[in-house]
C-alpha cells in the first residue's frame, strides 16, 4: 500500500524502493550509502517532509551540512514538498550549529557566552604577537603568520602533529617545529584568556562541552530527536564525534554519504567515519542507493569496475535506465602537445554537434596538469573557466618569469621591469621607479651604475644585468633562455613563495612548452593570448556562450557534465607520486578516479600520453587503476590518434581560420 500522507504526498510513487525505505525508516541509526547521482538530496528533503508530516516538531530535527547554501536549498525543497514548517528545522553547517550551542553553554568550559569569533585576519594578528616575541622568527627563513596559521589549523583538523605536517607539506620548516609548537600553545592560551574562538575552536570546544558535561549533552540530545548528516564521508573526526554525541540519548541519526567519494583527507576528512558508523551503532540499518539518474550504463559499468578493486568499501552496483551505448574511450597520444590538440579537436566537434561548451569538462589531478592545455585552448579561441587553482598564466611565479622574457623582447617595458626589480631584496616601489628611469635613458647598463655601487642590493642588480644580457641574445632559442633564467630565478622563487616546492611543477611545464618554439616573440604571444571569456573576438555584439570547464577532480565533486576528459592518466599523476608509498593514499587516489569518471553523463575520455618528459623516471605508464581492471576490453574503446604532428598542425591551422570566420554562412 502506498505511503500517502494527509497532505497528499505519495512517497512510494515519488521515490524508488531504497529511497522510500530511507525516507520512511524514522527510528534508530541509519547509514545511507548514496552512490554517485543516486538522489541523496532527494532522500534528505523527503525525510524532513515525512518527519514533520508524521507529527515531529520541526525544531527537534537537526540537519547538518557542509555549506549554508546546501542547508537552505534542502529546507526550501522540503517546503515545496510539504509546507513552510520545513523552514523551521535546525539546519546549518557544523560550525554554525556549534556556535549556537556555545553561545548558550560556553561558561561550562570557562568561556563567556559573549565570546568573539576570530576571523582569519584576526587569528593571524594574534599569531604575529608571539611570532615577533620569539627568537626563531627573527630568522629570514621562518614561516610567515599565514603559514603558521595553516599548520596549526591543519594539525587540529587532520589530527596530525605539527612535526608530521611540516615533514609532509612544509619540509623547509622542519627545523622550526619546536618554535611553531610554542607559538601554537601561546596562541591557544591567548584565546582562552581573552574569550576568543577561531573557526577550529568552535568544533573542538563543542566536543569538550558535550564530553565533559553530561547534563548539557543529554539536554541537547533530547532537544534534537532526529539528526541527519549530509556528506558524512567528508566529516573529520571532530565533526563525527559531535554528531554521534548528540544522538547518544535516542540514536535517531541518519548519516548520508558515499565511501567511494571520500577524497578530502588533506582537509581532515576521515574515511573511517563512514566505514565505522555501523560499529558505533550496532543496530544500524544500512540502505544502499544504487540507481543512478545521471549517466548511461556503459559509463556506470566502467565506474563500477574502478571501485570494485577498493580494499575497503560498501559493495554497491550502480545502474541506470538512461539509454546509451557509447563506451568510455582510452586515448594514448604521443605526448602532452598531442593530448592538448586532440582534446581541442574533440571539443570543437562536440560543439559543432550541439553540445554547449559549459556541458564539457576537462578534469585533472593537479592544477598544473592543465598548463599545456590552457595554452592550446587559448590558441584555438576556446573560452574556459578553471576550478581549483589559478589559471596557469595568472600564477604569480609564471608572471615573474614571463616578465623577464618580455623585457628581453622589449627593454622599455616598464611594468615588467618593476615586477622583476621588486623581486630583489631591498628594492621597494620608490627605488624600483628610480632604477627604471635610469634604464629608460641608459639601457640595461644602468643596473651597474656607480650610484648603486654601495647599496646592499648592488650585487643583485649585477646578477640581474647578467641574466638580462644573456636572454636578450636573439641567437639563442627560447628554451635555452628559459633554462638559464630558471637557474637565476630558483633562489628568488624560494625566498618569495613559501610553497615554492608546489610551484616548481609549473616551471617545468613552462620549459616543456618552450621546446616547441624557435622564436621568443612567438613563444610569448602564444602564452599571452587572452581566451575570449567575456566577449567574442569575432563579433563583439554576439553573446558568448558559457565557457568550457577545466577543473581539478577535487573541485569537480558534486558537479556533472555531458562530456568529460580526464587527462594525465598516468602512474605518478593519478595516482599521484606522493601517494605511491601509502596504501591509504593509493585507495584515496582510486576514489579520486572514481569521482572523476562519475562526473560524465554520456561521454568519457581517458588520456594517457605514451611519452612524457618529467622529473620522475618511469612516470609515463598508464595508471595502475586501469591495468587492474578485469575485462577492460569490454568496458573501454581505444581511440586511434593521428600518427604525426603534421596532421595536428594541419587541423590546428585550418581550425583557427574556420573558428575566426564563424558559421554565419
Amino acid at each position: 500500500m502506498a505511503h500517502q500522507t494527509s497532505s497528499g504526498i505519495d512517497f512510494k510513487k515519488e521515490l524508488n524502493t531504497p529511497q522510500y525505505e530511507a525516507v520512511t525508516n524514522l527510528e534508530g541509526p541509519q547509514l545511507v550509502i548514496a552512490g554517485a547521482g543516486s538522489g541523496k538530496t532527494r532522500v534528505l528533503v523527503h525525510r524532513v517532509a515525512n518527519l514533520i508530516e508524521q507529527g515531529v516538531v520541526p525544531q527537534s530535527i537537526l540537519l547538518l551540512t557542509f555549506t549554508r547554501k546546501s542547508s537552505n536549498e534542502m529546507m526550501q525543497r522540503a517546503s515545496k514538498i510539504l509546507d513552510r514548517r520545513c523552514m523551521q528545522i535546525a539546519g546549518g553547517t557544523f560550525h554554525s550549529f556549534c556556535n549556537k550551542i556555545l553561545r548558550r553553554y560556553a561558561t561550562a568550559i570557562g568561556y563567556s557566552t559573549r565570546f568573539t569569533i576570530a576571523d582569519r585576519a584576526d587569528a593571524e594578528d594574534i599569531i604575529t604577537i608571539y611570532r615577533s616575541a620569539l627568537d626563531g622568527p627573527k630568522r629570514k627563513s621562518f614561516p610567515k603568520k599565514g603559514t603558521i596559521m595553516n599548520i596549526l589549523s591543519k594539525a587540529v583538523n587532520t589530527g596530525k602533529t605539527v612535526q608530521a605536517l611540516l615533514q609532509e607539506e612544509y619540509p623547509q620548516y622542519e627545523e622550526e617545529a619546536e618554535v611553531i609548537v610554542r607559538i601554537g600553545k601561546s596562541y591557544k592560551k591567548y584565546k582562552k584568556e581573552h574569550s576568543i574562538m577561531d573557526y577550529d575552536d568552535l568544533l573542538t570546544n563543542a566536543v569538550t562541552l558535550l564530553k565533559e558535561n553530561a547534563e548539557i549533552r543529554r539536554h541537547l540530545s533530547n532537544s534534537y530527536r532526529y539528526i541527519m548528516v549530509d556528506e558524512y564521508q567528508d566529516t573529520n573526526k571532530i565533526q563525527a564525534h559531535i554528531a554521534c554525541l548528540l544522538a547518544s540519548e535516542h540514536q535517531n541519526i541518519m548519516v548520508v554519504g558515499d565511501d567511494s567519494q571520500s577524497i578530502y583527507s588533506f582537509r581532515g576528512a576521515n574515511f573511517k567515519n563512514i566505514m565505522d558508523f555501523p560499529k558505533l551503532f550496532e543496530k544500524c540499518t544500512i540502505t544502499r542507493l544504487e540507481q543512478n539518474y545521471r549517466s548511461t550504463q556503459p559509463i556506470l559499468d566502467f565506474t563500477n569496475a574502478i571501485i570494485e578493486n577498493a580494499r575497503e568499501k560498501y559493495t554497491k552496483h550502480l545502474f541506470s535506465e538512461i539509454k546509451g551505448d557509447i563506451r568510455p574511450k582510452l586515448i594514448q597520444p604521443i605526448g602532452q602537445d598531442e593530448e592538448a590538440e586532440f582534446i581541442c579537436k574533440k571539443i570543437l566537434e562536440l560543439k559543432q554537434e550541439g553540445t554547449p561548451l559549459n556541458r564539457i569538462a576537462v578534469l585533472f589531478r593537479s592544477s598544473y596538469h592543465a598548463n599545456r592545455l590552457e595554452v592550446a585552448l587559448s590558441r584555438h579561441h576556446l573560452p574556459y573557466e578553471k576550478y581549483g587553482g589559478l589559471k596557469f598564466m595568472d600564477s604569480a611565479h609564471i608572471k615573474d618569469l614571463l616578465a623577464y622574457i618580455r623585457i628581453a623582447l622589449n627593454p622599455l617595458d616598464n611594468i615588467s621591469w618593476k615586477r622583476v626589480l621588486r623581486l630583489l631584496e631591498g628594492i621597494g616601489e620608490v627605488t624600483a621607479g628610480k632604477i627604471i628611469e635610469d634604464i629608460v635613458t641608459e639601457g640595461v647598463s644602468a643596473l651597474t651604475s656607480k650610484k648603486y655601487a654601495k647599496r646592499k642590493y648592488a650585487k643583485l642588480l649585477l646578477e640581474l644585468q647578467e641574466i638580462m644580457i644573456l636572454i636578450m641574445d636573439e641567437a639563442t632559442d627560447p628554451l635555452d633562455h628559459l633554462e638559464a633564467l630558471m637557474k637565476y630565478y630558483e633562489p628568488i622563487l624560494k625566498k618569495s613563495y613559501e610553497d615554492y616546492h608546489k610551484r616548481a611543477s609549473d616551471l617545468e611545464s613552462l620549459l616543456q612548452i618552450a621546446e616547441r618554439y624557435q622564436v621568443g616573440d612567438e613563444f610569448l604571444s602564444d602564452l599571452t593570448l587572452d581566451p575570449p571569456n567575456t566577449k567574442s573576438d569575432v563579433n563583439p555584439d554576439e553573446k558568448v556562450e558559457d565557457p568550457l570547464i577545466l577543473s581539478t577532480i577535487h573541485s569537480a565533486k558534486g558537479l556533472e557534465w555531458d562530456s568529460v576528459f580526464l587527462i594525465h592518466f598516468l602512474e605518478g599523476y593519478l595516482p599521484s607520486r606522493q601517494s605511491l608509498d601509502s596504501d591509504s593514499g593509493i585507495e584515496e587516489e582510486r576514489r579520486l578516479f572514481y569521482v572523476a569518471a562519475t562526473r560524465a553523463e554520456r561521454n568519457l575520455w581517458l588520456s594517457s600520453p605514451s611519452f612524457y618528459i618529467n622529473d620522475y623516471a618511469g612516470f609515463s605508464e598508464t595508471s595502475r587503476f586501469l591495468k587492474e581492471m578485469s575485462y577492460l576490453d569490454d568496458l573501454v574503446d581505444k581511440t586511434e590518434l593521428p600518427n604525426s604532428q603534421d596532421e595536428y598542425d594541419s587541423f590546428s591551422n585550418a581550425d583557427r581560420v574556420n573558428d575566426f570566420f564563424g558559421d554565419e554562412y
Side-chain angles (χ1 to χ4, degrees):
M1 183 176 178
H3 180 87
Q4 187 166 339
T5 67
S6 58
S7 62
I9 305 172
D10 190 341
F11 286 100
K12 201 155 195 175
K13 184 178 180 180
E14 294 190 14
L15 303 167
N16 65 35
T17 300
Q19 290 174 340
Y20 176 77
E21 291 173 357
V23 166
T24 56
N25 179 13
L26 303 181
E27 303 296 323
Q30 184 173 184
L31 170 61
V32 178
I33 300 299
S38 63
K40 71 174 180 63
T41 302
R42 187 173 181 81
V43 164
L44 287 167
V45 299
H46 278 78
R47 193 167 191 264
V48 167
N50 189 32
L51 281 166
I52 295 174
E53 183 68 5
Q54 297 299 317
V56 174
V57 177
Q59 292 81 359
S60 68
I61 302 171
L62 175 62
L63 173 60
L64 293 170
T65 61
F66 276 86
T67 66
R68 188 187 301 272
K69 180 182 177 182
S70 63
S71 175
N72 290 336
E73 287 177 351
M74 286 187 203
M75 289 190 286
Q76 288 170 2
R77 284 179 59 177
S79 295
K80 290 179 181 178
I81 295 170
L82 186 60
D83 55 46
R84 296 294 295 176
R85 286 178 293 169
C86 296
M87 296 299 294
Q88 299 172 18
I89 70 170
T93 65
F94 277 93
H95 288 87
S96 64
F97 175 75
C98 290
N99 177 53
K100 179 180 178 180
I101 63 173
L102 288 168
R103 290 295 175 191
R104 292 168 59 189
Y105 301 111
T107 53
I109 56 171
Y111 274 84
S112 165
T113 55
R114 302 182 67 180
F115 62 86
T116 302
I117 299 177
D119 62 16
R120 177 70 185 215
D122 295 332
E124 289 183 4
D125 286 344
I126 301 171
I127 291 290
T128 300
I129 296 172
Y130 297 101
R131 182 183 183 279
S132 302
L134 295 171
D135 293 335
K138 293 177 182 178
R139 296 188 291 276
K140 293 178 181 178
S141 62
F142 199 79
K144 297 175 182 177
K145 59 183 180 181
T147 305
I148 295 174
M149 193 68 242
N150 288 339
I151 294 167
L152 297 177
S153 180
K154 283 188 177 182
V156 171
N157 285 286
T158 62
K160 295 178 181 178
T161 65
V162 167
Q163 288 85 348
L165 275 171
L166 293 177
Q167 185 177 14
E168 293 175 12
E169 300 190 35
Y170 303 91
Q172 69 271 36
Y173 299 133
E174 281 190 79
E175 294 182 359
E176 311 291 356
E178 184 181 343
V179 180
I180 295 171
V181 169
R182 284 163 56 197
I183 291 175
K185 289 179 179 178
S186 298
Y187 172 61
K188 185 175 182 179
K189 183 180 178 183
Y190 180 97
K191 290 182 293 179
K192 187 69 175 286
E193 290 175 347
H194 294 82
S195 203
I196 295 173
M197 295 187 199
D198 62 21
Y199 296 135
D200 296 331
D201 294 327
L202 293 174
L203 300 181
T204 56
N205 286 336
V207 168
T208 300
L209 175 70
L210 295 170
K211 283 175 63 178
E212 297 181 358
N213 298 272
E215 186 177 344
I216 293 174
R217 176 186 53 75
R218 282 193 293 267
H219 173 72
L220 288 170
S221 183
N222 287 320
S223 296
Y224 302 106
R225 298 289 302 177
Y226 295 90
I227 298 170
M228 288 176 279
V229 184
D230 187 25
E231 301 284 12
Y232 194 68
Q233 80 281 347
D234 292 338
T235 55
N236 62 28
K237 191 173 181 179
I238 308 169
Q239 292 163 329
H241 199 170
I242 291 168
C244 294
L245 282 173
L246 288 169
S248 58
E249 291 298 303
H250 47 73
Q251 297 198 358
N252 293 330
I253 179 171
M254 171 194 273
V255 299
V256 181
D258 184 2
D259 55 297
S260 300
Q261 297 187 69
S262 179
I263 60 172
Y264 295 117
S265 64
F266 67 95
R267 292 182 189 167
N270 193 327
F271 175 72
K272 287 294 183 180
N273 288 343
I274 195 166
M275 300 308 299
D276 291 345
F277 187 81
K279 299 175 184 176
L280 184 61
F281 295 96
E282 294 180 355
K283 296 182 180 180
C284 174
T285 300
I286 300 178
T287 305
R288 291 172 171 82
L289 306 183
E290 298 175 292
Q291 183 171 356
N292 177 285
Y293 294 91
R294 173 191 300 157
S295 307
T296 60
Q297 194 58 49
I299 297 288
L300 298 181
D301 289 341
F302 181 70
T303 59
N304 287 333
I306 294 172
I307 213 65
E308 180 182 345
N309 292 297
R311 293 190 176 187
E312 191 175 7
K313 64 183 181 295
Y314 289 103
T315 301
K316 56 185 174 293
H317 186 84
L318 297 184
F319 66 93
S320 174
E321 295 180 357
I322 300 172
K323 294 182 180 180
D325 56 5
I326 303 173
R327 299 197 301 187
K329 294 179 175 61
L330 173 66
I331 63 170
Q332 293 183 293
I334 297 171
Q336 289 183 91
D337 293 324
E338 290 77 14
E339 177 182 68
E341 291 299 332
F342 173 84
I343 290 172
C344 288
K345 179 181 179 181
K346 275 297 173 187
I347 289 170
L348 287 164
E349 287 178 0
L350 288 167
K351 180 183 175 185
Q352 189 172 11
E353 292 167 3
T355 304
L357 281 182
N358 66 345
R359 298 288 294 130
I360 305 169
V362 182
L363 306 184
F364 31 85
R365 174 63 177 85
S366 298
S367 183
Y368 77 90
H369 293 174
N371 289 347
R372 284 205 184 188
L373 178 61
E374 289 187 53
V375 175
L377 291 171
S378 296
R379 192 166 60 244
H380 291 295
H381 304 286
L382 283 166
Y384 66 90
E385 286 185 5
K386 189 174 183 182
Y387 301 160
L390 289 171
K391 287 184 179 180
F392 180 49
M393 294 299 297
D394 290 340
S395 303
H397 50 297
I398 296 299
K399 286 180 175 292
D400 291 345
L401 279 171
L402 294 183
Y404 294 99
I405 298 173
R406 287 191 174 97
I407 293 169
L409 296 171
N410 176 17
L412 297 180
D413 186 340
N414 289 9
I415 295 174
S416 295
W417 270 117
K418 181 173 288 188
R419 186 176 191 98
V420 302
L421 287 168
R422 290 294 306 277
L423 290 170
L424 303 181
E425 190 174 349
I427 297 181
E429 186 81 17
V430 176
T431 303
K434 291 178 180 178
I435 296 173
I436 290 170
E437 289 177 4
D438 292 338
I439 291 172
V440 171
T441 57
E442 302 174 34
V444 180
S445 61
L447 292 171
T448 51
S449 171
K450 290 182 179 180
K451 68 170 72 175
Y452 306 123
K454 294 184 179 181
R455 301 293 175 90
K456 59 182 179 180
Y457 48 77
K459 183 181 178 183
L460 298 177
L461 289 178
L462 173 61
E463 292 172 352
L464 175 60
Q465 183 190 67
E466 290 173 349
I467 190 64
M468 293 313 305
I469 291 173
L470 178 63
I471 66 175
M472 285 176 175
D473 181 2
E474 295 182 2
T476 311
D477 64 36
L479 180 60
D480 289 337
H481 285 164
L482 208 53
E483 286 177 340
L485 187 54
M486 292 286 192
K487 293 177 182 178
Y488 166 80
Y489 179 71
E490 185 177 2
I492 295 175
L493 176 73
K494 291 181 178 180
K495 286 183 179 179
S496 302
Y497 305 103
E498 293 190 312
D499 60 346
Y500 68 87
H501 55 291
K502 295 181 180 179
R503 298 173 184 254
S505 300
D506 286 341
L507 305 187
E508 179 65 26
S509 293
L510 200 60
L511 276 175
Q512 293 172 2
I513 292 169
E515 292 174 356
R516 301 181 61 191
Y517 297 87
Q518 282 75 49
V519 183
D521 57 358
E522 289 183 5
F523 169 65
L524 192 61
S525 295
D526 272 359
L527 280 177
T528 53
L529 279 174
D530 291 326
N533 284 332
T534 57
K535 187 167 67 173
S536 172
D537 290 341
V538 179
N539 184 354
D541 297 323
E542 181 182 335
K543 184 179 179 181
V544 176
E545 63 184 308
D546 290 331
L548 166 80
I549 301 301
L550 306 186
S551 178
T552 61
I553 301 171
H554 285 103
S555 297
K557 185 174 175 291
L559 303 177
E560 57 195 63
W561 295 275
D562 172 88
S563 301
V564 170
F565 297 85
L566 177 60
I567 63 173
H568 274 51
F569 190 48
L570 296 166
E571 193 73 6
Y573 293 88
L574 184 63
S576 71
R577 67 188 182 94
Q578 290 86 356
S579 303
L580 297 181
D581 296 328
S582 164
D583 290 341
S584 62
I586 289 293
E587 289 304 298
E588 181 154 330
E589 295 291 308
R590 187 194 315 279
R591 297 193 293 270
L592 266 172
F593 177 29
Y594 176 82
V595 167
T598 53
R599 301 309 95 196
E601 297 174 358
R602 187 172 61 96
N603 293 305
L604 174 64
W605 283 271
L606 311 171
S607 177
S608 178
S610 57
F611 182 71
Y612 188 85
I613 301 173
N614 51 65
D615 293 336
Y616 322 117
F619 287 174
S620 59
E621 295 184 9
T622 299
S623 172
R624 69 181 67 190
F625 300 140
L626 205 61
K627 294 179 179 180
E628 69 186 15
M629 285 186 186
S630 303
Y631 312 110
L632 179 63
D633 290 342
D634 296 332
L635 299 170
V636 175
D637 291 328
K638 293 184 179 180
T639 301
E640 296 295 328
L641 299 187
N643 293 322
S644 72
Q645 184 62 41
D646 290 341
E647 292 185 55
Y648 279 115
D649 290 340
S650 175
F651 147 70
S652 174
N653 294 332
D655 177 73
R656 292 178 70 180
V657 171
N658 292 332
D659 192 64
F660 180 85
F661 285 101
D663 302 317
E664 291 85 0
Y665 49 91

